């Protein structure tokens, strides 16, 4: 009977080990998800001259107006677009 008890003990240990590995995998996946949610999208502005949308960080700003490039800023400096 002793060999049968040893086999039963080994099976129980193996099952417990598999359950623990599965639970660790679930925990690790839950920890990885918030990193994905923390990504932010860039704010987008519209060029007052041509209307193209660009990230705010790349916009050329003059007197509260946003432009996609220096050329459009210069073209729009003296022109009132009715805004």
């Amino acid at each position: 009977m002793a060999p049968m008890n040893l086999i039963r003990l080994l099976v129980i240990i193996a099952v417990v080990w598999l359950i623990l590995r599965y639970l660790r995998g679930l925990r690790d996946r839950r920890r990885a998800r918030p990193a994905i949610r923390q990504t932010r999208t860039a704010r987008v502005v519209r060029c007052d001259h041509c209307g193209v949308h660009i990230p705010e960080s790349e916009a050329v700003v003059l007197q509260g107006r946003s432009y996609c490039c220096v050329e459009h800023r210069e073209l729009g400096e003296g022109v009132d677009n009715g805004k």
Side-chain angles (χ1 to χ4, degrees):
M1 264 206 202
M4 207 53 159
N5 287 339
L6 182 61
I7 292 172
R8 193 176 291 162
L9 178 64
L10 290 175
V11 168
I12 291 171
I13 290 172
V15 169
V16 169
W17 181 77
L18 288 172
I19 291 171
L20 289 175
R21 281 195 59 148
Y22 176 74
L23 293 175
R24 278 189 199 151
L26 287 177
R27 182 189 66 196
D28 292 344
R29 278 183 252 149
R30 284 187 192 149
R31 286 183 180 173
R33 286 183 185 162
I36 295 170
R37 292 181 192 153
Q38 291 175 357
T39 59
R40 292 184 172 216
T41 55
R43 185 161 182 254
V44 177
V45 294
R46 185 175 179 268
C47 175
D48 278 349
H49 182 74
C50 68
V52 71
H53 290 87
I54 54 172
E56 185 178 36
S57 62
E58 296 179 19
V60 179
V61 181
L62 177 69
Q63 298 174 352
R65 292 187 171 177
S66 301
Y67 300 95
C68 63
C69 62
V70 176
E71 181 182 347
H72 284 184
R73 183 198 66 197
E74 291 170 356
L75 289 172
E77 276 182 346
V79 179
D80 184 15
N81 294 334
K83 295 182 183 176

